[in-house]
């Protein structure tokens, strides 16, 4: 089984989209796609489009799949208000006083776009398997949902909901099932793909293995959120990838399951930090990231 694994990274998901194009051009055709955070959005879009094509033509043109994903980013993610609208101080004050804090951003603009492009029935009929990861904030447990879940779209929203900035997502409106960004526990879900039987994996991460961090204005709330997120996600991402590489090298039974076949694993990740901020970006920034991701992905195949 071939798996495409898409890590988290917020707006860095645009870089991932460019890298995906290079992966597909290499001839890799996934049987399953796994995603967390921005990777969950990209994965869901791809599986939805693959399902749409399969229903219509009984085959999947992967070039078209990713070209439509690129178009989605270029046409719909052009400025901060396409992702979310900052709530007023009055609204935030009221929510805090009433213990109803629900994130700094109103993310309806993003999810209205998601609902426009994604259809649950199409996802369920797609021949490509799909799983997205989110964290239950009541229990701290990681959970991977697939389209057979009644409220799968809620899980997609939750997987990409950045803590504090974005609202907690109650699955089906149930307060006991309150979920946030899967990046709180895992960033690149390679382990889950292996557990599900993947033997040939290409994983696209959005953070470099090593990075030098510049000083920030730590008195700025948004700068601090960005920095904390970058530090934690970079470490989790390294942990996920290092585990998979050691598993591949040693064929160890590290997670209580057996792998009888040799694991083929390729990691694509940037060499340097991708500098883009949720509260300040434009359409050119998105296009530049896509181009950079494609060039990096292309070079990673032709350098082998």
């Amino acid at each position: 089984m071939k798996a495409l694994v898409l890590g988290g990274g917020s707006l860095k998901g645009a870089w991932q989209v460019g890298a995906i194009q290079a992966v597909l051009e290499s001839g890799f055709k996934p049987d399953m796609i796994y995603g967390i955070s921005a990777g969950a959005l990209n994965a869901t879009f791809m599986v939805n489009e693959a399902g749409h094509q399969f229903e219509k033509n009984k085959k999947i043109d992967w070039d078209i799949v990713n070209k439509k994903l690129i178009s989605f980013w270029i046409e719909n993610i052009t400025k901060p208000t396409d992702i979310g609208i900052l709530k007023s101080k009055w609204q935030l004050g009221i929510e805090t006083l009433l213990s109803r804090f629900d994130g700094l951003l109103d993310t309806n603009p993003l999810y209205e776009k998601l609902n426009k492009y994604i259809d649950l029935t199409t996802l369920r009929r797609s021949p490509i398997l799909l799983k997205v990861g989110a964290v239950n904030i009541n229990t701290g447990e990681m959970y991977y949902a697939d389209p057979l879940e009644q409220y799968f779209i809620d899980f997609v929203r939750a997987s990409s909901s950045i803590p504090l900035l974005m609202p907690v997502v109650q699955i089906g409106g149930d307060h006991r099932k309150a979920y946030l960004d899967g990046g709180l526990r895992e960033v690149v879900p390679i382990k889950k793909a292996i557990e599900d039987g993947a033997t040939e994996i290409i994983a696209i991460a959005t953070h470099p293995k090593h990075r030098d961090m510049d000083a920030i204005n730590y008195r700025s709330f948004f700068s601090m959120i960005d920095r904390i997120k970058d530090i934690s996600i970079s470490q989790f991402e390294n942990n996920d990838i290092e585990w998979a590489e050691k598993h591949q090298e040693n064929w160890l039974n590290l997670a209580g399951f057996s792998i009888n076949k040799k694991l083929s694993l390729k990691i694509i990740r940037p060499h340097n930090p991708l500098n883009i901020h949720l509260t300040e970006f434009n359409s050119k920034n998105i296009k530049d990231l896509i181009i950079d991701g494609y060039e990096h992905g292309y070079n990673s195949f032709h350098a082998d």
Side-chain angles (χ1 to χ4, degrees):
M1 294 282 281
K2 295 181 179 181
L4 178 63
V5 176
L6 305 177
S10 187
L11 290 173
K12 300 176 182 70
W15 188 92
Q16 188 176 80
V17 167
I20 292 171
Q21 181 68 35
V23 169
L24 298 177
E25 286 181 0
S26 77
F28 185 84
K29 297 180 180 180
D31 303 300
M32 55 213 325
I33 305 180
Y34 290 72
I36 284 177
S37 192
L41 296 176
N42 286 337
T44 301
F45 188 101
M46 291 180 71
V47 173
N48 186 83
E49 179 56 33
H52 176 72
Q53 287 191 30
F54 191 79
E55 282 186 301
K56 185 177 180 180
N57 305 313
K58 303 304 178 185
K59 63 179 182 179
I60 300 171
D61 186 327
W62 285 103
D63 183 55
I64 292 177
V65 169
N66 205 59
K67 282 182 176 176
K68 289 199 173 183
L69 178 58
I70 290 172
S71 294
F72 171 81
W73 276 83
I74 290 176
E75 295 171 6
N76 293 280
I77 312 298
T78 62
K79 57 186 181 301
T81 53
D82 289 334
I83 302 296
I85 299 171
L86 182 63
K87 296 177 182 177
S88 68
K89 293 180 180 179
W90 180 85
Q91 183 178 358
L92 289 171
I94 293 297
E95 288 180 355
T96 302
L97 286 172
L98 297 178
S99 297
R100 293 180 180 176
F101 178 73
D102 202 25
L104 297 175
L105 299 176
D106 175 355
T107 53
N108 281 327
L110 175 61
Y111 298 123
E112 285 173 359
K113 295 179 177 67
L114 181 66
N115 291 331
K116 177 181 177 181
Y117 286 90
I118 303 302
D119 177 72
L120 187 56
T121 300
T122 301
L123 287 173
R124 289 173 174 171
R125 292 176 179 174
S126 177
I128 309 303
L129 303 179
L130 168 66
K131 285 190 178 179
V132 302
V135 172
N136 186 321
I137 63 165
N138 288 315
T139 66
E141 295 177 346
M142 188 77 182
Y143 184 77
Y144 284 94
D146 64 49
L148 293 180
E149 298 270 0
Q150 181 179 2
Y151 300 108
F152 176 73
I153 301 301
D154 285 350
F155 280 108
V156 177
R157 291 182 58 190
S159 182
S160 57
S161 193
I162 301 170
L164 296 181
L165 285 180
M166 297 179 177
V168 173
V169 177
Q170 295 182 0
I171 306 301
D174 187 342
H175 68 88
R176 296 167 300 179
K177 299 178 179 179
Y179 284 78
L180 273 176
D181 191 344
L184 287 169
R185 292 293 299 268
E186 297 178 37
V187 179
V188 189
I190 304 172
K191 184 176 180 180
K192 184 60 179 174
I194 294 173
E195 288 177 341
D196 288 350
T199 54
E200 186 175 347
I201 299 172
I202 295 181
I204 304 176
T206 60
H207 299 80
K209 184 175 183 178
H210 304 291
R211 61 175 296 175
D212 296 323
M213 294 189 175
D214 296 326
I216 64 167
N217 176 10
Y218 50 82
R219 300 294 186 184
S220 164
F221 181 83
F222 287 106
S223 293
M224 275 296 290
I225 289 291
D226 271 346
R227 178 51 54 88
I228 292 170
K229 178 168 60 70
D230 280 344
I231 291 172
S232 59
I233 286 179
S234 292
Q235 186 58 55
F236 289 156
E237 188 173 270
N238 284 341
N239 292 345
D240 294 338
I241 292 172
E242 287 170 8
W243 179 92
E245 290 175 336
K246 289 179 180 177
H247 184 86
Q248 178 192 30
E249 180 182 352
N250 300 315
W251 297 13
L252 295 177
N253 185 15
L254 297 179
F257 56 90
S258 297
I259 299 297
N260 296 319
K261 296 181 180 180
K262 184 177 180 180
L263 174 65
S264 171
L265 174 65
K266 182 176 180 62
I267 307 294
I268 299 174
R269 65 192 309 191
H271 296 308
N272 300 304
L274 304 176
N275 295 314
I276 187 167
H277 302 286
L278 194 63
T279 56
E280 187 179 351
F281 71 93
N282 55 42
S283 58
K284 183 179 183 302
N285 299 142
I286 296 298
K287 291 176 183 177
D288 288 345
L289 274 183
I290 293 173
I291 292 170
D292 187 62
Y294 174 75
E295 290 176 348
H296 186 90
Y298 178 89
N299 291 334
S300 73
F301 280 99
H302 290 77
D304 290 345

